[in-house]
Amino acid sequence: MKVWNILILRLMLFIHFIFPSINAFAFAVLPVTQRLNPRCHQHNCNNYRDTKRAATTTTNNNDNDKDALNTSTREMTLEQKDFFMGYINQHHSDVLCDFVIAFTDLGALMRRKNSFSGGSMSIDGAELVQVTAKELEVKVLVHERSKESLMKMVRIPWDADLHKDSLKRMYRLLPEKVPKTENYDPVDDPIRRMVRLLHIVKRPEVTGKLCQLGIQIGQRKRARIEENLYLNNVPHNRPVRKYFYDMACQAALESVVLCSAGTLTNRMQICCSIPELNPGMDAYRVGTLLEMTRAIAITLAEQNLRVRVCVQGSMGSGIFTAIPKQLSGVATLLQRMDWQSGEGEDNEGMIGDYVNFGGIGAEHVVNAGVDRRGNPIEQDDVFLIVCPQSMVGTDTSIYKPLLEHVRAAGDRPCILINPDLTDKIS
C-alpha cells in the first residue's frame, strides 16, 4: 500500500504541474525541418447551443472575474513572500546554489576558473533575499583560493535558460516555458516556474515539497490530492474518472486558446498514466481512454471548434498488416459511443458537424472548400490523435503518416493523447 501511495503522489504531482500547461512541445522524434507558426484559426469562445451550458459558463466566468480581482497584484503578499523565502533558505539553500551555477554569469566564471585549477573558486552558500513577479534575487557567498570570501548579489529570472557557457551535457533539455496568461495565480505561477528550473538542474525530488508549500501559503486546493482518490479500485469510481477528465479538458482548452494567441506551439500531447490508462498495467481499460477522448472533444466543440478525432488504422502491407493491440477496435467504439448527439439531447447535432472521425495521414485533414455539389466544406480546427503507436519496420512506422498529418494541418493544433512513439516489435 505504501508503494501505491508513492505512485499516486508522483502521478498527481506530474499531472498538476504538467497537465495544466499540457507540456506542449514539438515532437523531437520526428524529423521536422522547421517549426510551424503556432497559431490556429480565430474562433469565438462561445458555447455550442445549449442555454443551460450558457448559464453554467456565465457562472464560471463570474468566478474567474473574482479570481482576477484577487490576483490583479500579480505578486504574492508580503507574508507569503516571507514564508516562501524562509522555507527555501532553511530547507533548500543548496537548490539556490545549483540555480546560480546553471543560470548566472557567476556560475560561468566559477567554471572557467576551476577549469584551470580545480577548487580555485566555490560557492559556500546562497540566500534568497527577494522574490518578484519576474525574478529571484539571491545573495551568494563566494570563496576564492587565497582570498577572503565575498557576498555577491545575482538575479535569476523565473523563465531562465541555461547560461550560454553552461555544460549542456550536465543538464536536462530545457522544458517548455510556462505560458503567461491574463489572470494567473500569484502563488501558483512562480511555483510552476520554479518546478521547471528544478527539472533543468536535475532536482525533481524537491518539486513535491514546493507543491505542499503552495498549498500552505496559497490556502487553496489547487494542488491538494483528493481524499477519496482511490486508484486501486478497478474500474475507478465515476467521480475519480471525472476528476482526471476535467483536468485534461481544461488543459486542452487552455492550450488551444494559447496556441491561437501564438504563445504555444501547435504540436501538443496529453499524458495521463493512471492505472486504467496505462497499457503496461493489468488494470488498463480502453473504456476510460474513450471517455476521456469524448470529454475533451465535447469541451472543444462547445467552443465552436470543429474537432476531428483520429485513430491510426492498420499498418504494414500484405500478410504483415497489423494494428497495435491497445488500439484494436478503438475507432469503431468511438463512433458507437453515446455522444448524446441525437435529437433533443444535450449535444444535439454535434456529431458530423462539430465532431468528426478519421485516421492518421494527410488525406484525413479536411480544409475549407466546396464539394462537387457546391456545398461549403468547413475545415477542421483541432485534431485529437488517440494513442499513436509505432512498430518496428519501414511499412509499420507511424512516423511518416503522423508527420504528413501534422504538416497538412499547418498551424492548427494537433494534440496527441497518450502517445507511445517508440518502435515496438509486433
Side-chain angles (χ1 to χ4, degrees):
M1 194 63 187
K2 183 177 181 181
V3 176
W4 267 104
N5 291 336
I6 295 175
L7 291 175
I8 293 172
L9 179 60
R10 289 184 177 178
L11 169 69
M12 291 304 300
L13 295 178
F14 171 81
I15 291 176
H16 172 65
F17 290 110
I18 302 301
F19 254 27
S21 61
I22 212 169
N23 195 22
F25 63 93
F27 309 146
V29 297
L30 298 179
V32 182
T33 56
Q34 61 180 358
R35 297 192 179 185
L36 301 175
N37 191 16
R39 294 183 178 85
C40 67
H41 296 278
Q42 297 294 327
H43 58 274
N44 295 323
C45 291
N46 300 319
N47 275 349
Y48 177 59
R49 56 176 71 227
D50 193 24
T51 55
K52 185 182 296 184
R53 284 203 194 92
T56 304
T57 304
T58 303
T59 303
N60 293 337
N61 289 337
N62 292 335
D63 293 340
N64 293 334
D65 292 340
K66 294 178 181 178
D67 291 340
L69 294 175
N70 295 333
T71 61
S72 59
T73 57
R74 305 283 176 161
E75 291 190 20
M76 292 182 283
T77 63
L78 292 178
E79 293 78 8
Q80 291 172 335
K81 288 183 179 180
D82 290 340
F83 193 96
F84 181 86
M85 292 187 295
Y87 175 81
I88 296 297
N89 291 330
Q90 182 176 354
H91 300 284
H92 301 296
S93 59
D94 55 334
V95 170
L96 297 175
C97 296
D98 294 339
F99 287 173
V100 172
I101 295 173
F103 304 118
T104 66
D105 294 333
L106 181 60
L109 177 62
M110 186 185 74
R111 284 189 294 273
R112 286 197 298 269
K113 290 192 174 184
N114 290 337
S115 63
F116 292 101
S117 177
S120 61
M121 184 176 181
S122 63
I123 296 177
D124 292 342
E127 180 184 359
L128 183 60
V129 296
Q130 185 58 266
V131 178
T132 67
K134 296 182 178 180
E135 60 188 8
L136 302 168
E137 294 185 13
V138 182
K139 183 167 61 175
V140 185
L141 179 61
V142 181
H143 175 73
E144 293 189 55
R145 184 181 298 161
S146 69
K147 293 184 180 180
E148 294 183 358
S149 298
L150 298 175
M151 298 296 297
K152 295 189 177 182
M153 293 291 297
V154 296
R155 289 180 170 83
I156 304 173
W158 287 115
D159 293 329
D161 291 328
L162 284 176
H163 193 275
K164 61 181 180 180
D165 295 331
S166 296
L167 299 178
K168 301 296 189 297
R169 66 177 182 271
M170 294 177 56
Y171 301 100
R172 297 178 184 269
L173 295 176
L174 292 179
E176 189 79 15
K177 293 181 180 180
V178 180
K180 283 283 188 181
T181 57
E182 291 296 328
N183 299 314
Y184 65 86
D185 191 302
V187 174
D188 186 68
D189 186 78
I191 288 181
R192 288 173 186 262
R193 299 179 190 281
M194 194 166 185
V195 166
R196 173 182 173 273
L197 300 181
L198 288 169
H199 279 293
I200 294 176
V201 299
K202 298 182 179 181
R203 297 296 300 274
E205 68 277 4
V206 184
T207 58
K209 299 173 183 178
L210 282 184
C211 178
Q212 181 64 31
L213 175 64
I215 295 175
Q216 291 179 352
I217 65 178
Q219 297 180 354
R220 293 170 180 259
K221 295 184 178 181
R222 177 166 297 191
R224 190 183 300 276
I225 299 177
E226 299 292 337
E227 295 182 359
N228 60 347
L229 198 66
Y230 301 116
L231 298 182
N232 53 351
N233 290 338
V234 179
H236 300 331
N237 297 329
R238 286 188 178 181
V240 174
R241 299 201 303 270
K242 186 177 183 301
Y243 175 78
F244 291 105
Y245 299 163
D246 291 344
M247 295 180 72
C249 293
Q250 180 185 2
L253 181 58
E254 288 180 0
S255 298
V256 170
V257 173
L258 291 174
C259 176
S260 67
T263 57
L264 278 184
T265 176
N266 66 320
R267 303 182 180 189
M268 318 171 193
Q269 71 173 358
I270 293 178
C271 294
C272 183
S273 56
I274 61 176
E276 287 190 5
L277 292 176
N278 186 354
M281 302 185 68
D282 59 353
Y284 175 74
R285 180 172 174 265
V286 70
T288 304
L289 173 66
L290 299 177
E291 287 178 351
M292 187 175 74
T293 302
R294 178 179 62 184
I296 296 174
I298 291 177
T299 299
L300 296 176
E302 287 176 344
Q303 309 301 322
N304 286 345
L305 293 172
R306 286 179 166 80
V307 183
R308 184 165 296 273
V309 183
C310 305
V311 182
Q312 73 183 80
S314 297
M315 309 292 292
S317 58
I319 63 173
F320 299 104
T321 301
I323 187 172
K325 181 179 179 181
Q326 181 184 356
L327 297 175
S328 179
V330 168
T332 302
L333 290 174
L334 267 174
Q335 300 181 43
R336 293 182 178 179
M337 291 179 67
D338 181 14
W339 290 77
Q340 296 186 347
S341 182
E343 184 177 355
E345 294 183 313
D346 289 344
N347 304 321
E348 179 181 350
M350 181 178 289
I351 297 298
D353 189 2
Y354 281 80
V355 176
N356 293 281
F357 305 96
I360 298 180
E363 65 275 13
H364 297 283
V365 177
V366 177
N367 298 314
V370 179
D371 62 13
R372 61 182 182 180
R373 297 181 179 178
N375 299 321
I377 299 176
E378 299 291 345
Q379 72 173 9
D380 300 321
D381 296 318
V382 183
F383 298 91
L384 298 180
I385 303 176
V386 182
C387 294
Q389 297 185 24
S390 187
M391 295 178 286
V392 175
T394 56
D395 295 333
T396 55
S397 175
I398 192 61
Y399 297 150
K400 183 178 179 180
L402 181 58
L403 178 60
E404 293 175 351
H405 188 113
V406 173
R407 284 179 172 172
D411 54 6
R412 288 169 284 181
C414 296
I415 304 176
L416 306 187
I417 300 177
N418 279 6
D420 187 359
L421 300 180
T422 57
D423 287 337
K424 296 183 180 295
I425 299 176
S426 177

